Amino acid sequence: MITLVRRATALCLLGAALAACGTDQAPEAPRPAPSAPSAAPSKAAPPPTLAPGPAGLTPVFEHGPRARGKTVALTFDADMTADQGPRAAAGERFDNPRLIEALRELKVPATVFMTGRWAEEYPDAARSLGRDPRFEIANHSYSHYAYTDDCYGLPSVSRERMRADVERAYTAFRKAGVANAMPYFRFPGGCYDRAALEELTATGVTAVQWDVVSGDAFATDADAVARQVLDGVRPGSVVVLHCTRSAAPVTERAVRTIVPELRSRGYRFVKVSELIGAGNGRA
């Protein structure tokens, strides 16, 4: 399940539209905070991670075991780029309270891949998610700028600033009140290469991709999103969805279809940490 390729092949439609948000790089980060693993409680077992890949590269996780029960992880990207503050101030909503409310109502555990800029804009929401045992918070970078030069038109982070961008997000989470963010990282746009994997090795994160693309970014047909997910899910699947109201307006309605249907098929919803632990023989 560790895949080291030049480029991730999964599509992430959200990245293309975010290119219009600006082309400047993220502001220079302060001195990096401690890396992700230190965020785990000292008295608890550390969250499961994958062993480093060949040559010690950051490992990449795409899905859990196919033959260890019908489990599926719904993951939600809480995207906000470093330069979207003016748009938020003008009233654009990058959060989605009704989606989170639906997940709680349906009793669905989930992993939220959050950008540091999102946590700064919505600290109360970030703190609420971070304190709810049904959810786990993972890292989606501070800036939501790409870690490769050509990623659906997103502006990019220079190689020498990649680690600082990741660790700046963890700092933003702690300032918002998220005490125990997970040592998992999702590349903006899903784009990475060997250089990016090399730069993040020191952070200790496991990169988390997906094997089911929901197609919810900028979708207007909730039923079509639900069908795409339902057609793609297999045991151990990781589904990528979005927790950004303006960019993914039908996700909540799609989730209200996806969850009961998958349960009727015998699936159990889990967080990414459980899938990784199962692959490691820890669950």
Side-chain angles (χ1 to χ4, degrees), residues 170-231:
Y170 282 116
T171 298
F173 299 159
R174 287 192 292 272
K175 288 182 177 178
V178 179
N180 299 306
M182 304 298 282
Y184 308 142
F185 177 74
R186 175 163 285 166
F187 286 98
C191 303
Y192 67 93
D193 55 18
R194 183 182 180 91
L197 297 178
E198 289 175 349
E199 290 302 317
L200 298 192
T201 298
T203 68
V205 298
T206 292
V208 176
Q209 296 287 92
W210 54 82
D211 66 317
V212 179
V213 178
S214 69
D216 67 335
F218 303 106
T220 57
D221 186 340
D223 291 337
V225 172
R227 285 195 302 272
Q228 185 156 318
V229 172
L230 294 171
D231 289 346

Side-chain angles (χ1 to χ4, degrees), residues 4 20 29 49 54 63 76 78 83 121 131 153 160 169 187 189 219 228 239 248 262 264 278:
L4 299 175
T49 56
H63 61 79
F76 297 87
D83 55 2
E121 189 69 28
R131 292 178 177 177
E160 60 269 18
F187 286 98
Q228 185 156 318
V239 182
L262 285 179
S264 75

Side-chain angles (χ1 to χ4, degrees), residues 3-235:
T3 305
L4 299 175
V5 296
R6 179 67 183 169
R7 294 296 308 276
T9 56
L11 294 178
C12 183
L13 296 179
L14 189 60
L18 287 175
C21 299
T23 56
D24 293 334
Q25 287 191 347
E28 201 61 53
R31 186 63 189 163
S35 299
S38 65
S42 59
K43 294 183 179 180
T49 56
L50 296 183
L57 294 178
T58 298
V60 180
F61 179 81
E62 294 183 350
H63 61 79
R66 299 299 193 190
R68 297 191 62 178
K70 298 176 77 171
T71 56
V72 58
L74 299 185
T75 69
F76 297 87
D77 290 357
D79 294 335
M80 187 173 179
T81 64
D83 55 2
Q84 285 181 325
R87 289 171 57 176
E92 185 170 349
R93 298 304 299 261
F94 298 93
D95 62 343
N96 196 337
R98 291 184 63 180
L99 170 61
I100 300 305
E101 184 179 303
L103 293 170
R104 286 172 167 149
E105 177 186 323
L106 294 166
K107 296 179 170 56
V108 178
T111 303
V112 178
F113 286 87
M114 187 180 295
T115 68
R117 184 64 188 87
W118 194 98
E120 289 177 347
E121 189 69 28
Y122 304 106
D124 292 343
R127 182 167 55 254
S128 176
L129 288 167
R131 292 178 177 177
D132 188 334
R134 195 175 302 281
F135 299 100
E136 61 188 12
I137 305 301
N139 196 314
H140 196 30
S141 80
Y142 174 82
S143 62
H144 201 263
Y145 289 0
Y147 283 53
T148 62
D149 290 334
D150 182 14
C151 183
Y152 309 108
L154 283 171
S156 60
V157 176
S158 63
R159 177 169 180 168
E160 60 269 18
R161 294 172 60 196
M162 290 177 182
R163 177 180 175 182
D165 191 60
V166 172
E167 294 191 323
R168 187 178 181 187
Y170 282 116
T171 298
F173 299 159
R174 287 192 292 272
K175 288 182 177 178
V178 179
N180 299 306
M182 304 298 282
Y184 308 142
F185 177 74
R186 175 163 285 166
F187 286 98
C191 303
Y192 67 93
D193 55 18
R194 183 182 180 91
L197 297 178
E198 289 175 349
E199 290 302 317
L200 298 192
T201 298
T203 68
V205 298
T206 292
V208 176
Q209 296 287 92
W210 54 82
D211 66 317
V212 179
V213 178
S214 69
D216 67 335
F218 303 106
T220 57
D221 186 340
D223 291 337
V225 172
R227 285 195 302 272
Q228 185 156 318
V229 172
L230 294 171
D231 289 346
V233 164
R234 299 169 58 194

